[in-house]
Amino acid sequence: MKEHPAPAFDVDELRRLLVGLDRGLGRPLVDLRDRLDRLDREGGPGISAEQRAYVRSSLALSDGLRDLTGAFFEFAVLTRAPSPPALESIRLDDLVADLDRRFAATAEERELDWDCRRAGADALVATQTALCRRAIGQLVANALRFTPSGGRVGVVVERSGPDWSVTVTDDGPGIPAHARSKVFEPFYRLARDERAGTAGDGMGLALCKAQVDRLGGAIVLEPAEATGTRARVTFPVAGPRA
């Protein structure tokens, strides 16, 4: 089965479309979630367990839709004429601890071998912390989602000369060579994911690359040693170069 290519959008047209979707859907989704939340909290004894479960599944669905429209808006903002990010200092050890805190429990729930560590010496680097956390978090979340139970996900953070990097390795199904650049295009999905019924909107890696680009970094996808994928993101230690 052939991969499903992303529609050929003009960048400016795509940006306008995504902003319009966020504006058109954002407020109604917030209102819908508020009403569902109120129903869940105040439904009282008249609501059955089955009905409450339905309300809570609807809450989760509305949260997912709101996250998606938020991703649309962030992608549109990040792909506009760039403005320098507000830089902060963070230690690599702190980044490792943050990743372990955010994802170790998920790895355990999915029965995956989880290894998150720093290689080499600790270092102080300059980045926009929130943006960096979201970009790296997307790569780790992808690795956890696509690695089958019993597999392994590894994260290595290290400094090398004027750069620092995060390498995320999994032993999932991998990404075909011809698709390793296309997966960064908005709305692109691998046919294997659709056949497997894997949830996804085709915006995760597109947004991740936009975030990495804004931080002056580069992202490369490679096959892992045996099976799976190795995603490596490299950033300049001192922040985006002029």
Side-chain angles (χ1 to χ4, degrees), residues 61-162:
L61 178 60
S62 65
D63 285 341
L65 289 170
R66 188 65 192 99
D67 288 345
L68 178 57
T69 60
F72 288 162
F73 184 75
E74 184 175 2
F75 182 84
V77 169
L78 289 171
T79 53
R80 287 188 315 199
S83 57
L87 300 180
E88 308 152 295
S89 295
I90 183 173
R91 290 198 173 276
L92 298 186
D93 274 349
D94 293 336
L95 180 61
V96 170
D98 175 69
L99 290 169
D100 198 51
R101 182 170 56 251
R102 292 164 63 195
F103 296 106
T106 302
E108 183 176 2
E109 289 171 5
R110 293 182 56 83
E111 300 181 335
L112 300 175
D113 179 15
W114 166 255
D115 177 26
C116 182
R117 58 189 170 82
R118 169 180 51 79
D122 191 13
L124 192 66
V125 300
T127 190
Q128 186 173 334
T129 306
L131 196 62
C132 182
R133 287 178 77 249
R134 293 200 297 276
I136 296 170
Q138 178 66 54
L139 294 177
V140 176
N142 273 17
L144 292 171
R145 182 183 305 121
F146 290 106
T147 302
S149 178
R152 180 181 185 277
V153 173
V155 181
V156 177
V157 182
E158 63 183 324
R159 176 176 178 173
S160 178

Side-chain angles (χ1 to χ4, degrees), residues 12-236:
D12 291 333
E13 179 185 354
L14 176 59
R15 189 181 299 118
R16 287 192 295 271
L17 171 65
L18 296 180
V19 170
L21 283 171
D22 178 69
R23 289 175 177 170
L25 295 176
R27 185 68 256 172
L29 285 171
V30 170
D31 290 342
L32 174 62
R33 196 204 184 284
D34 287 345
R35 295 180 186 187
L36 289 168
D37 185 57
R38 190 178 308 116
L39 180 60
D40 183 39
R41 288 184 288 105
E42 303 173 4
I47 185 171
S48 69
E50 183 179 0
Q51 289 169 328
R52 189 175 297 279
Y54 181 81
V55 169
R56 290 180 177 175
S57 67
S58 298
L59 272 169
L61 178 60
S62 65
D63 285 341
L65 289 170
R66 188 65 192 99
D67 288 345
L68 178 57
T69 60
F72 288 162
F73 184 75
E74 184 175 2
F75 182 84
V77 169
L78 289 171
T79 53
R80 287 188 315 199
S83 57
L87 300 180
E88 308 152 295
S89 295
I90 183 173
R91 290 198 173 276
L92 298 186
D93 274 349
D94 293 336
L95 180 61
V96 170
D98 175 69
L99 290 169
D100 198 51
R101 182 170 56 251
R102 292 164 63 195
F103 296 106
T106 302
E108 183 176 2
E109 289 171 5
R110 293 182 56 83
E111 300 181 335
L112 300 175
D113 179 15
W114 166 255
D115 177 26
C116 182
R117 58 189 170 82
R118 169 180 51 79
D122 191 13
L124 192 66
V125 300
T127 190
Q128 186 173 334
T129 306
L131 196 62
C132 182
R133 287 178 77 249
R134 293 200 297 276
I136 296 170
Q138 178 66 54
L139 294 177
V140 176
N142 273 17
L144 292 171
R145 182 183 305 121
F146 290 106
T147 302
S149 178
R152 180 181 185 277
V153 173
V155 181
V156 177
V157 182
E158 63 183 324
R159 176 176 178 173
S160 178
D163 298 318
W164 67 281
S165 65
V166 179
T167 304
V168 181
T169 307
D170 66 69
D171 54 8
I175 299 173
H178 71 273
R180 287 183 201 132
S181 61
K182 293 180 181 179
V183 293
F184 294 115
E185 299 174 3
F187 309 120
Y188 185 88
R189 289 195 66 196
L190 291 168
R192 64 137 205 245
D193 301 335
E194 295 187 354
R195 290 198 302 272
T198 304
D201 50 57
M203 283 298 296
L205 287 178
L207 181 56
C208 176
K209 186 177 186 304
Q211 293 161 339
V212 169
D213 288 347
R214 178 58 61 92
L215 293 170
I219 181 169
V220 176
L221 299 180
E222 304 171 327
E225 289 184 8
T227 183
T229 301
R230 179 187 295 110
R232 182 178 176 85
V233 187
T234 304
F235 301 102

